[in-house]
């Protein structure tokens, strides 16, 4: 069982480079690109003597349906272990949770929590999320299988892994387990402490969107604000240039004929732009490109920062007439697609739907079908641009997102809205009521509006990093990190110190 995923790894990487480029998948590919860049640049993936010895991947057998004891089916879940700093059997365990994508050995070697492990003598474990990366159950990704994919199933895996790995590594029953995670995995980290406080001692939830939402128009509100923020290279001129560039794209789309054909070639659209839905795909991909520059601003491996994007859009002369911003946007597309190895910026809607319907993991790359299923059945998170403050196209995007749930999975719109409401009811949204959880966010990150950015109580605290982007605190440290980021990481370390003091006090009380 443990070797079958390697057979299709090559195809998986091929599809990562040439697969569907719908707006949502573009952001996910950007995240994967940044993650891989940071891991490869920091782990010495070379043949030099100084290269870091990477931990070998390990496999844990997990029940496919943890909520049905009579179902004997199982799957192999991938994980990694870094024990080089583990000082004693009763030392802390840092459990780095994977989210809606593949996890790698960098999860236990670089960034948080690996950077904190030497200070506390911690054992570091990285656990890949079920149905992502190579932790895909035998049988593929059809609807009969996907019903075992949810945040609740993922939390059950955390519990099972916590118990099994404690036995496997002879971890002391007094060792505090701390969950770490970023983005959706950050939400899982918080929810693991919320639902299983007897097993998870505390959690650090970075850029965690705790509130599920159907229409995520707030995303582009933060993007607009960030594009005009001088501290990260934005300006009012940049925001105006962004609007001008998108207005020019729409003008050329409406013109049709030669103007539309030139636009297709210049902005990297695969296939014709004659259909309304295909034009919407292109506009959505352009929005994702700009949103991605904001979401991952300043991170190593990101092809575009806000400063660089604004430099392209505004130009040296600050000209916001139609041609200059459009040509800047065109150049930004070239930088983006080249960096990610994308053949095209956008594909046709029909092609995107066809790829999302594929159920064989051998030909489906970074988890697009799986994550779409989770958004349709739990979270929503559909980024729209229908408010006047949005600098992009004013297309009615929400119906298009919901239509995708029906086209790919046969799920009606009403069921998606109901699923979002149920998720918030089950986990508590932005007031989960957990204890010993630290929420970490950056105010540049569009996702921080769905997280917790202020203290909810003495044991439910928050850090908001000025000019911080998505999961920036989890990235490997570099000399150019801002003072506010340094301070944020220091605050995380101080919170860990407080938690470990509580753990020792609790052990003393038990002993007495």
């Amino acid at each position: 069982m443990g070797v079958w995923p390697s057979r299709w790894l090559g195809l998986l990487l091929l599809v990562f480079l040439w697969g569907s480029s719908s707006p949502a998948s573009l952001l996910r590919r950007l995240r994967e690109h940044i993650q891989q860049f940071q891991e490869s640049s920091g782990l010495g993936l070379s043949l030099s003597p100084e290269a870091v010895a990477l931990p070998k991947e390990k496999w844990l057998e997990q029940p496919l349906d943890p909520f049905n004891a009579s179902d004997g089916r199982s799957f192999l879940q991938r994980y990694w272990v870094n024990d080089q700093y583990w000082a004693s059997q009763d030392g802390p365990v840092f459990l780095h949770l994977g989210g809606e994508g593949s996890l790698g050995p960098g999860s236990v070697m670089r960034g948080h929590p690996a950077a904190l492990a030497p200070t506390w003598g911690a054992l570091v474990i990285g656990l890949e999320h079920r149905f992502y990366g190579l932790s895909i159950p035998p049988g593929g990704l059809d609807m009969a299988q996907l019903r075992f994919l949810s945040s609740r199933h993922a939390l059950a895996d955390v519990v099972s892994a916590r118990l099994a790995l404690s036995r496997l590594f002879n971890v002391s029953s007094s060792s505090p387990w701390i969950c770490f995670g970023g983005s959706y995995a950050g939400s899982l980290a918080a929810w693991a402490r919320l639902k299983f406080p007897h097993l998870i001692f505390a959690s650090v939830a970075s850029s965690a969107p705790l509130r599920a939402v159907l229409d995520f128009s707030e995303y582009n509100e933060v993007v607009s604000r960030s594009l005009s923020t001088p501290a990260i290279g934005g300006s009012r001129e940049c925001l105006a240039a962004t609007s001008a560039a998108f207005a020019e794209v729409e003008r050329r789309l409406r013109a049709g004929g030669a103007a539309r054909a030139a636009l297709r070639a210049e902005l990297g659209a695969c296939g014709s732009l004659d259909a309304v839905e295909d034009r919407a795909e292109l506009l959505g991909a352009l929005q994702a490109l700009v949103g991605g520059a904001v979401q991952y601003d300043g991170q190593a491996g990101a092809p575009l920062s806000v400063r660089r994007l604004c430099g392209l859009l505004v130009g040296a002369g600050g000209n916001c007439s139609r041609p200059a911003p459009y040509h800047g946007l065109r150049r930004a597309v070239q930088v983006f697609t080249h960096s990610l190895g994308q053949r095209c910026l956008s594909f046709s809607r029909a092609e995107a739907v066809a790829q999302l319907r594929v159920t064989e993991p051998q030909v489906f790359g970074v988890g697009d079908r799986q994550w779409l299923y989770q958004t349709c059945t739990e979270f929503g998170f559909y980024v729209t641009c229908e408010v006047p403050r949005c600098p992009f196209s004013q297309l009615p995007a929400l119906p298009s997102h919901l239509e995708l749930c029906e086209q790919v999975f046969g799920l009606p719109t009403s069921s998606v809205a109901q699923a979002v409401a149920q998720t918030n009811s089950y986990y508590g949204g932005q007031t989960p009521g957990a204890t010993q959880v630290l929420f970490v966010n950056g105010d540049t990150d569009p996702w921080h509006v769905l997280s917790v950015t202020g203290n909810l109580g003495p044991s439910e605290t928050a850090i908001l990093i000025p000019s911080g982007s998505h999961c920036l605190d989890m990235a490997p440290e570099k000399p150019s990190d801002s003072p506010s980021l340094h301070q944020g990481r220091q605050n995380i370390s101080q919170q860990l110190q407080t938690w470990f003091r509580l753990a020792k006090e609790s052990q003393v009380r038990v002993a007495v």
Side-chain angles (χ1 to χ4, degrees):
M1 271 182 86
V3 298
W4 76 271
S6 62
R7 301 174 184 172
W8 51 269
L9 178 58
L11 283 172
L12 182 149
L13 295 175
L14 179 65
V15 176
F16 168 74
L17 292 176
W18 300 105
S20 169
S21 290
S22 66
S25 69
L26 268 181
L27 284 175
R28 300 184 66 253
R29 279 169 172 74
L30 176 59
R31 188 199 64 181
E32 292 267 340
H33 169 79
I34 292 171
Q35 178 181 314
Q36 291 180 1
F37 178 90
Q38 293 177 354
E39 287 189 11
S40 62
S41 63
L43 293 178
L45 300 183
S46 66
L47 298 179
S48 67
E50 296 79 15
V52 175
L54 298 180
K56 295 181 179 180
E57 64 183 16
K58 299 178 181 294
W59 300 90
L60 185 67
E61 188 169 7
Q62 296 274 38
L64 180 63
D65 185 357
F67 307 117
N68 181 4
S70 63
D71 190 335
R73 291 175 294 175
S74 63
F75 74 101
L76 291 181
Q77 187 170 27
R78 193 165 55 155
Y79 72 97
W80 289 264
V81 176
N82 177 359
D83 61 359
Q84 61 181 311
Y85 306 115
W86 197 22
S88 64
Q89 301 299 123
D90 59 354
V93 181
F94 292 167
L95 181 59
H96 186 168
L97 302 181
E100 72 281 20
S102 61
L103 206 64
S107 63
V108 298
M109 299 295 290
R110 291 278 286 169
H112 277 109
L116 295 166
T119 301
W120 308 107
L123 176 67
V124 187
I125 300 173
L127 184 68
E128 190 169 64
H129 196 295
R130 62 165 55 206
F131 282 88
Y132 291 102
L134 300 187
S135 299
I136 299 180
L141 303 172
D142 60 23
M143 287 293 285
Q145 288 279 99
L146 288 180
R147 64 192 179 93
F148 301 112
L149 169 61
S150 73
S151 59
R152 300 186 194 193
H153 287 88
L155 292 177
D157 291 339
V158 171
V159 170
S160 178
R162 157 75 168 84
L163 298 174
L165 296 177
S166 290
R167 294 190 296 269
L168 182 63
F169 294 100
N170 195 27
V171 178
S172 170
S173 59
S174 62
S175 295
W177 284 65
I178 314 293
C179 275
F180 291 78
S183 196
Y184 161 55
S187 300
L188 289 176
W191 295 334
R193 169 62 187 173
L194 172 69
K195 298 297 184 179
F196 306 103
H198 60 297
L199 296 175
I200 304 301
F201 184 76
S203 292
V204 179
S206 298
S207 299
L210 296 179
R211 171 167 60 94
V213 61
L214 198 63
D215 186 341
F216 191 16
S217 61
E218 296 158 294
Y219 183 98
N220 280 322
E221 292 180 13
V222 179
V223 169
S224 299
R225 184 169 70 246
S226 298
L227 289 174
S228 58
T229 300
I232 57 174
S235 64
R236 292 181 181 178
E237 292 77 16
C238 178
L239 184 59
T242 303
S243 295
F246 274 80
E248 178 65 8
V249 171
E250 291 193 79
R251 186 190 70 79
R252 297 188 184 204
L253 285 174
R254 289 192 301 268
R260 188 181 292 170
L263 183 74
R264 170 193 167 193
E266 291 170 356
L267 296 183
C270 283
S272 170
L273 293 175
D274 293 335
V276 173
E277 58 268 25
D278 295 340
R279 298 197 290 272
E281 287 290 307
L282 174 62
L283 288 167
L286 291 171
Q287 290 180 35
L289 181 152
V290 176
V294 171
Q295 181 170 319
Y296 294 103
D297 178 64
Q299 299 204 26
L304 291 167
S305 64
V306 170
R307 191 175 303 278
R308 186 178 186 190
L309 176 64
C310 288
L312 293 172
L313 291 171
V314 177
N319 184 0
C320 284
S321 63
R322 279 181 178 174
Y326 169 75
H327 289 304
L329 182 62
R330 175 185 174 186
R331 176 60 183 148
V333 169
Q334 293 170 347
V335 171
F336 187 91
T337 54
H338 176 75
S339 296
L340 269 67
Q342 291 279 156
R343 179 167 56 96
C344 305
L345 182 69
S346 72
F347 292 78
S348 72
R349 172 75 170 206
E351 185 172 347
V353 170
Q355 291 194 17
L356 286 166
R357 285 175 171 167
V358 174
T359 60
E360 294 81 12
Q362 293 95 324
V363 293
F364 208 84
V366 294
D368 290 337
R369 176 176 169 85
Q370 299 96 299
W371 182 240
L372 176 64
Y373 178 81
Q374 285 197 262
T375 67
C376 294
T377 56
E378 291 191 88
F379 305 121
F381 294 154
Y382 302 124
V383 175
T384 65
C385 188
E386 301 175 60
V387 296
R389 294 183 299 277
C390 184
F392 309 122
S393 167
Q394 299 296 310
L395 291 174
L398 184 58
S400 177
H401 286 298
L402 295 174
E403 186 179 86
L404 203 57
C405 293
E406 187 161 7
Q407 288 177 322
V408 177
F409 302 116
L411 298 171
T413 298
S414 59
S415 74
V416 182
Q418 184 179 12
V420 168
Q422 289 175 341
T423 296
N424 288 328
S425 176
Y426 184 70
Y427 293 118
Q430 288 172 289
T431 54
T435 58
Q436 292 176 201
V437 176
L438 175 63
F439 299 98
V440 186
N441 287 278
D443 64 4
T444 294
D445 177 21
W447 292 92
H448 83 270
V449 296
L450 300 181
S451 189
V452 174
T453 56
N455 294 346
L456 297 178
S459 62
E460 203 170 12
T461 55
I463 298 171
L464 185 62
I465 300 174
S467 303
S469 57
H470 193 63
C471 298
L472 184 61
D473 61 290
M474 299 191 73
E477 295 185 21
K478 59 184 192 294
S480 59
D481 287 340
S482 67
S484 61
L485 178 56
H486 281 296
Q487 184 61 52
R489 289 183 174 134
Q490 186 176 352
N491 292 342
I492 294 172
S493 185
Q494 291 171 348
Q495 181 62 76
L496 285 173
Q497 187 173 13
T498 299
W499 285 337
F500 292 141
R501 186 178 67 248
L502 292 174
K504 288 184 178 180
E505 291 173 355
S506 176
Q507 293 172 15
V508 170
R509 286 195 299 269
V510 171
V512 172

